[in-house]
Amino acid sequence: MEAATVRFTEHRGLLYAVAYRLLGSVADAQDVVQEAWLRWSRVDTDTVEDAEGYLVRVTTRLAIDRLRSAAVRRESYVGPWLPEPMLTTPDTADHVVQADDVSTAVLLVLESLSPIERAVFVLHEAFGYSYSDIAGILGRQVPAVRQLAHRARTAVAARRRRYDTDRATQRQVTEQFLAASMDGDVEALMAVLAPDVTLISDGGGLTGAPRKPIHGPLYVARAFVVLSGRRPAGSSVGIEELNGAPGLVVRSADGPVLAVTLHLVDGGVHTLHVVSNPTKLTGLMSHPA
């Protein structure tokens, strides 16, 4: 069992990275990795030559099953659905966060894919698995996997918006946005917002989050001034690394209350994702060092 534990631990980070990209949920990804461990612990691991291949196969199939059941649950979800924010500190392993492929905007685009298309896209594009490897993981023929990959790439390309990735600009704009929000300065907020800015809030019907997107600099700025004024007494707001870029987190004595991820185009905030559903803030429970 000790040897099996060591082999599993070697791949745990990779398994979590795969599961999170497939599910867009910290809690679900953790559950899937735990289930993969339970299955691993029941097999004679000495007979498994390729531990990574075996574990990625189990994790992927568990995640696909969970995606299918999640699609049914989301039909009755109250308001917009957004991926769960995840802390990505500087010491996060490379396979957990690479470039912008864990941004909430990218994960949201992946929601347009079927579970099997999403698995093929993630395994090939984010982790570099060959079509042959993916065919073995999914139990499909290679030509079928190639076709799935083509459909997925076409769908993602049609929906994906290229956002600014310059870290200095992201940090500067986030700081300006935070300062203006805290000051209640509508004009200063509008100055950092793109003309076609959109605010999407996910409260899951459990908070007072708007249930429809808000468009335009004036309305978005006003919404954030109101939001800032409604912070819980004694709470703090800070800039933290969320999904590979600077974001805002409101924390109270009881834990995280709200997370904001900002997506920039030409130096202006084009899209804001705000998550206040308390069940979707588990990925922020451990405060970054």
Side-chain angles (χ1 to χ4, degrees):
M1 180 59 73
E2 183 177 347
T5 302
V6 170
R7 294 180 77 187
F8 183 86
T9 301
E10 289 175 356
H11 303 293
R12 180 186 290 274
L14 172 62
L15 303 182
Y16 176 76
V18 170
Y20 178 72
R21 283 170 175 79
L22 287 176
L23 296 163
S25 164
V26 172
D28 284 349
Q30 291 171 340
D31 287 347
V32 162
V33 172
Q34 180 62 25
E35 178 62 26
W37 157 248
L38 292 175
R39 297 196 179 194
W40 175 253
S41 67
R42 296 185 192 124
V43 302
D44 182 358
T45 57
D46 289 338
T47 65
V48 180
E49 293 184 8
D50 180 10
E52 177 184 322
Y54 177 90
L55 290 167
V56 170
R57 181 169 69 251
V58 170
T59 298
T60 300
R61 293 184 179 184
L62 288 170
I64 289 173
D65 289 343
R66 192 165 288 233
L67 268 178
R68 287 170 175 156
S69 62
V72 176
R73 294 196 306 271
R74 287 175 194 168
E75 290 178 0
S76 60
Y77 194 81
V78 179
W81 183 95
L82 290 173
E84 292 182 19
M86 174 181 67
L87 287 174
T88 49
T89 54
D91 60 350
T92 302
D94 288 343
H95 54 233
V96 177
V97 53
Q98 298 169 346
D100 68 342
D101 67 358
V102 290
S103 79
T104 56
V106 171
L107 293 172
L108 197 56
V109 168
L110 296 185
E111 289 293 311
S112 66
L113 306 179
S114 71
I116 197 76
E117 288 172 344
R118 185 165 180 167
V120 171
F121 184 86
V122 165
L123 291 172
H124 184 66
E125 300 295 330
F127 296 96
Y129 285 103
S130 68
Y131 292 133
S132 177
D133 289 337
I134 297 171
I137 290 170
L138 299 177
R140 300 288 182 106
Q141 297 297 316
V142 173
V145 169
R146 289 184 182 276
Q147 187 176 27
L148 286 164
H150 175 72
R151 279 210 309 262
R153 280 197 303 271
T154 301
V156 169
R159 294 171 174 83
R160 186 170 182 175
R161 181 69 182 257
R162 292 293 176 180
Y163 292 107
D164 298 349
T165 56
D166 179 71
R167 296 306 298 271
T169 301
Q170 288 176 331
R171 182 79 188 190
Q172 180 182 12
V173 172
T174 303
E175 289 174 348
Q176 292 172 337
F177 184 91
L178 174 58
S181 297
M182 297 296 287
D183 291 340
D185 191 334
V186 172
E187 290 188 3
L189 269 172
M190 292 176 63
V192 299
L193 301 177
D196 54 349
V197 63
T198 297
L199 164 64
I200 302 173
S201 295
D202 179 346
L206 301 176
T207 67
R211 297 186 181 183
K212 293 183 178 180
I214 297 175
H215 303 283
L218 178 59
Y219 295 108
V220 170
R222 285 177 174 173
F224 262 92
V225 168
V226 171
L227 187 64
S228 181
R230 290 179 179 173
R231 287 191 298 115
S235 62
S236 63
V237 187
I239 297 176
E240 300 183 22
E241 190 84 0
L242 299 180
N243 295 77
L248 303 177
V249 179
V250 178
R251 296 181 181 276
S252 72
D254 297 324
V257 175
L258 179 141
V260 183
T261 51
L262 299 80
H263 307 284
L264 280 58
V265 173
D266 296 330
V269 180
H270 178 273
T271 308
L272 292 137
H273 290 158
V274 180
V275 177
S276 58
N277 182 342
T279 67
K280 301 180 78 169
L281 298 174
T282 57
L284 311 180
M285 293 301 290
S286 57
H287 199 289

